[in-house]
mmCIF file of all heavy atoms in Angstrom:
data_model
loop_
_atom_site.group_PDB
_atom_site.id
_atom_site.type_symbol
_atom_site.label_atom_id
_atom_site.label_comp_id
_atom_site.label_asym_id
_atom_site.label_seq_id
_atom_site.Cartn_x
_atom_site.Cartn_y
_atom_site.Cartn_z
ATOM 1 N N ARG B 37 89.801 99.600 79.682
ATOM 2 C CA ARG B 37 89.425 99.110 80.957
ATOM 3 C C ARG B 37 87.993 99.269 81.172
ATOM 4 O O ARG B 37 87.424 100.415 81.080
ATOM 5 C CB ARG B 37 90.223 99.685 82.115
ATOM 6 C CG ARG B 37 89.995 99.028 83.452
ATOM 7 C CD ARG B 37 90.800 99.582 84.650
ATOM 8 N NE ARG B 37 90.675 98.775 85.836
ATOM 9 C CZ ARG B 37 90.733 99.230 87.013
ATOM 10 N NH1 ARG B 37 90.832 100.550 87.254
ATOM 11 N NH2 ARG B 37 90.589 98.384 88.049
ATOM 12 N N GLY B 59 92.872 92.044 69.727
ATOM 13 C CA GLY B 59 92.016 92.439 70.891
ATOM 14 C C GLY B 59 90.778 93.373 70.483
ATOM 15 O O GLY B 59 89.986 93.574 71.295
ATOM 16 N N LEU B 66 87.413 100.949 64.737
ATOM 17 C CA LEU B 66 88.369 101.155 63.697
ATOM 18 C C LEU B 66 89.564 102.009 64.098
ATOM 19 O O LEU B 66 89.260 103.115 64.620
ATOM 20 C CB LEU B 66 87.748 101.858 62.422
ATOM 21 C CG LEU B 66 88.680 102.168 61.262
ATOM 22 C CD1 LEU B 66 89.298 100.932 60.666
ATOM 23 C CD2 LEU B 66 87.916 102.978 60.270
ATOM 24 N N TYR B 74 100.298 110.204 65.287
ATOM 25 C CA TYR B 74 99.141 110.013 66.111
ATOM 26 C C TYR B 74 98.273 108.937 65.703
ATOM 27 O O TYR B 74 98.323 108.552 64.475
ATOM 28 C CB TYR B 74 98.390 111.387 66.350
ATOM 29 C CG TYR B 74 97.711 111.826 65.120
ATOM 30 C CD1 TYR B 74 96.295 111.397 64.955
ATOM 31 C CD2 TYR B 74 98.241 112.570 64.143
ATOM 32 C CE1 TYR B 74 95.568 111.815 63.861
ATOM 33 C CE2 TYR B 74 97.527 112.982 63.006
ATOM 34 C CZ TYR B 74 96.146 112.565 62.847
ATOM 35 O OH TYR B 74 95.432 113.068 61.748
ATOM 36 N N THR B 76 94.071 107.342 65.785
ATOM 37 C CA THR B 76 92.657 107.565 66.211
ATOM 38 C C THR B 76 91.938 106.171 66.388
ATOM 39 O O THR B 76 92.373 105.247 65.663
ATOM 40 C CB THR B 76 91.880 108.345 65.197
ATOM 41 O OG1 THR B 76 92.024 107.672 63.846
ATOM 42 C CG2 THR B 76 92.431 109.776 65.065
ATOM 43 N N GLU B 101 109.424 99.172 78.163
ATOM 44 C CA GLU B 101 108.441 100.035 78.880
ATOM 45 C C GLU B 101 107.408 100.602 77.964
ATOM 46 O O GLU B 101 107.751 101.267 76.962
ATOM 47 C CB GLU B 101 109.143 101.014 79.741
ATOM 48 C CG GLU B 101 108.092 101.791 80.566
ATOM 49 C CD GLU B 101 108.760 102.829 81.543
ATOM 50 O OE1 GLU B 101 110.007 102.867 81.525
ATOM 51 O OE2 GLU B 101 108.055 103.578 82.180
ATOM 52 N N GLN B 102 106.191 100.402 78.397
ATOM 53 C CA GLN B 102 105.136 101.047 77.632
ATOM 54 C C GLN B 102 104.730 102.317 78.513
ATOM 55 O O GLN B 102 104.307 102.103 79.704
ATOM 56 C CB GLN B 102 103.931 100.142 77.315
ATOM 57 C CG GLN B 102 104.351 99.047 76.435
ATOM 58 C CD GLN B 102 103.112 98.145 76.092
ATOM 59 O OE1 GLN B 102 101.976 98.476 76.237
ATOM 60 N NE2 GLN B 102 103.471 96.887 75.635
#
Side-chain angles (χ1 to χ4, degrees):
Chain B
R37 190 177 188 210
L66 175 64
Y74 71 91
T76 58
E101 182 176 356
Q102 295 185 21

